Amino acid sequence: MLTLLSMFYYICLRRRSRSGTRGEALTSRRAVESGQRAVLPVSVEVEQYAKEVLDFSSHYGSENSMSYTMWNLAGVPNVYPSSGDFTQTAVFRAYGTWWEQCASAPPPFRRTPKGFHSQDYIELGFEEPVYPTGVDVLETYYPGAIVQILACSHNPFSQNPPTDVRWEVLWSGEPTKVLTPQARQFSPTIKHINFPTNLLRLEVNSSLLDYYTELDAVILRGVKERPMLALYKMPVIDISDLSNGYFDKLPYELIQLILSHLTLPDLSRLAQSCKLLHQHCCDPLQYTQLSLQPYWGRLSDASLGHLQSRCTLLQRLNLSWTGNRGALTLTGFSSFMKACGLSLVCLELSCCHFLNEACLEVVSQTCPGLQELNLSSCDRLNPQAFTHISKLTRLRRLVLYRTKIEQTAILSILTFCIELRHLNLGSCVRIEDYDVVASMLATRCRSLCSLDLWRCRNLTDRGLAELVSGCRMLEELDLGWCPTLQSSTGCFQHLARSLPRLRKLFLTANRTVCDSDIEELAAGCPSLQHLDILGTRLVSAASLKKLLQSCPKLLLLDVSFCSQIDMRVFQELSGSFPNVAIKKSFTQ
């Protein structure tokens, strides 16, 4: 006869056998029934590096290289524990607050929750689903950008379509500025979850950092057996003191003003409290701006359907990061846009992988007054889809960073969208001839204020000359990592003479930039605020001093890897011009 203790072990092992193999179950049962001491299996912690980079919002590197790209986060460390600027790490596109100060930066959306700090993200797949016990991030340069770590219930390597996808926050915090740029292992205390995962998402905010943060590897630690989770205690709310307080006596406009400070979830909850507040919370005037990006993990077709009747006066909509893995469909998106797109002037769709050609066709048909469209990192849209953008003839801001747009589509857009003020074609590697694009811009978009050509591979001095001659209103020009531009042609000096309103100029990694170019900028661009000449070997301290003296509004000057600017010169310039953030990265 089994003893009481043996019976307890027997019950435990019966439960264990449901998740273990048949052989493990039979062995354990025989051990109990034969009177032997039963040894329960101990959960062993599994430690694994990322198998694959699945998705990300931006990176410093190019689409056809490994240097400074997010793909470096897959696998074992390349650099850690070394510190410094290394090409083998993962680097996001921006840092600090300088990009928010640019004319091309859109105004922030109202009602963004104070706890939502994320600016960029990366999603990583791991080999084995586990119940997480820890996450380690190996940061090798300017750490402190990570603000949130999430886990997903969906197995990204499963052949089955995703259903009931859940995201849980393992850890979240505020942006930080670590006192030293040295490498560190970031291992926050994470929350335990009730499902196994092999899909993590890291969200970052680099606004407080002095330079680009660099990540080397991510380690997921966990167990395969479900751990015992602590019971959640529901908070007790004392409603004895709650009363109307004559709230309904306030003027309608004043109540609307008070409610305008609530976040979207709070507004939805308040609408369920009484008829008066339901009327106020559903007033379309509360929904002229709507940012759903902070709720990307919970948004679905049903969510849009619920909001549809309230958004008839919608002017600015942010759906960035939403709808992936089947959460939004063409049907749900189309229905919402047809009901709410008439007054829309701004549409943010960054990293929306549910988008297809039919979605962009719906946008072109339902949003006749659209002025701003952001499709940044929508890298799964087929090239043909972009032809529909040319129907949005009132566009003033268009972001196509990291998309598959081709030459025919962009030329069509520039033919019809002549009111463009801000255009981002960064890392658009399928455009065959940027000289033709530059010529079209100079002819059709003469009021252009900002142009991002980051990592365009074939812009020559001829195209640049046409561009700056035709678009003299330019205030921002990003020519970073454009290898076909050569200072010896005089193109940069012509640029400086042609663009007196210039505030931002990136000539990143152009090794030919020389003293003559810097001196021409000092003479012709007094409003210059941001200048990046990383990597040049031909610029001296003397020309930089002249620039700093002639451009009193200068805020950022990146001289990293400039061979003539050693640490002594760097410290001298920084001491003489304390109001300018002079950047110089290091490697050790």
Side-chain angles (χ1 to χ4, degrees), residues 76-95:
V76 299
N78 297 309
V79 173
Y80 187 85
S82 298
S83 300
D85 190 341
F86 290 91
T87 61
Q88 303 97 319
T89 57
V91 184
F92 290 98
R93 178 68 183 85
Y95 71 92

Side-chain angles (χ1 to χ4, degrees), residues 5 28 33 48 65 67 136 150-151 197 211 233 249 265 293 445 448 451 468 511 525-526:
L5 182 59
S28 302
E33 294 181 343
Q48 51 187 328
S65 170
S67 297
D136 305 323
L150 303 99
T197 185
Y211 207 59
K233 295 182 179 180
K249 303 299 183 183
Q293 182 180 6
C445 304
L448 198 66
L451 177 62
V468 299
R511 298 178 185 274
C525 304

Side-chain angles (χ1 to χ4, degrees), residues 375-502:
L375 296 172
S376 172
S377 288
C378 291
D379 54 347
R380 301 173 197 179
L381 271 172
N382 68 66
Q384 182 63 27
F386 297 96
T387 58
H388 297 285
I389 298 176
S390 62
K391 303 170 189 174
L392 300 168
T393 57
R394 297 182 64 182
L395 274 181
R396 298 171 67 90
R397 172 174 164 262
L398 178 60
V399 181
L400 298 171
Y401 168 72
R402 288 192 66 239
T403 62
K404 295 178 179 176
I405 188 168
E406 294 180 345
Q407 184 136 331
T408 301
I410 187 60
L411 293 180
S412 176
I413 291 170
L414 298 181
T415 300
F416 295 100
C417 301
I418 60 175
E419 297 182 25
L420 274 175
R421 299 292 185 273
H422 307 285
L423 177 62
N424 188 331
L425 296 176
S427 292
C428 292
V429 297
R430 296 203 176 194
I431 296 177
E432 299 170 356
D433 191 341
Y434 272 94
D435 281 353
V436 176
V437 174
S439 178
M440 181 67 80
L441 281 167
T443 303
R444 303 291 295 176
C445 304
R446 303 181 72 87
S447 298
L448 198 66
C449 179
S450 73
L451 177 62
D452 191 330
L453 297 178
W454 175 263
R455 291 189 181 274
C456 80
R457 306 296 297 180
N458 51 42
L459 179 68
T460 69
D461 59 290
R462 181 179 61 83
L464 181 58
E466 281 197 67
L467 175 70
V468 299
S469 296
C471 300
R472 292 182 174 270
M473 303 292 287
L474 273 172
E475 297 180 18
E476 301 175 32
L477 183 57
D478 193 331
L479 300 172
W481 296 88
C482 296
T484 49
L485 293 174
Q486 298 292 314
S487 173
S488 58
T489 64
C491 61
F492 298 138
Q493 295 178 48
H494 178 54
L495 178 156
R497 289 192 293 267
S498 302
L499 303 178
R501 301 165 61 100
L502 198 63

Side-chain angles (χ1 to χ4, degrees), residues 53-127:
V53 174
L54 303 170
D55 190 22
F56 55 89
S57 55
S58 76
H59 60 184
Y60 186 90
S62 68
E63 301 305 295
N64 49 15
S65 170
M66 289 296 290
S67 297
Y68 297 122
T69 63
M70 288 296 120
W71 299 304
N72 285 318
L73 267 185
V76 299
N78 297 309
V79 173
Y80 187 85
S82 298
S83 300
D85 190 341
F86 290 91
T87 61
Q88 303 97 319
T89 57
V91 184
F92 290 98
R93 178 68 183 85
Y95 71 92
T97 58
W98 57 265
W99 58 275
E100 295 175 333
Q101 302 163 358
C102 296
S104 57
F109 276 78
R110 296 199 301 263
R111 279 208 170 94
T112 301
K114 292 183 178 180
F116 181 74
H117 306 292
S118 305
Q119 297 173 339
D120 275 297
Y121 74 85
I122 181 170
E123 293 180 1
L124 302 167
F126 296 79
E127 184 68 40

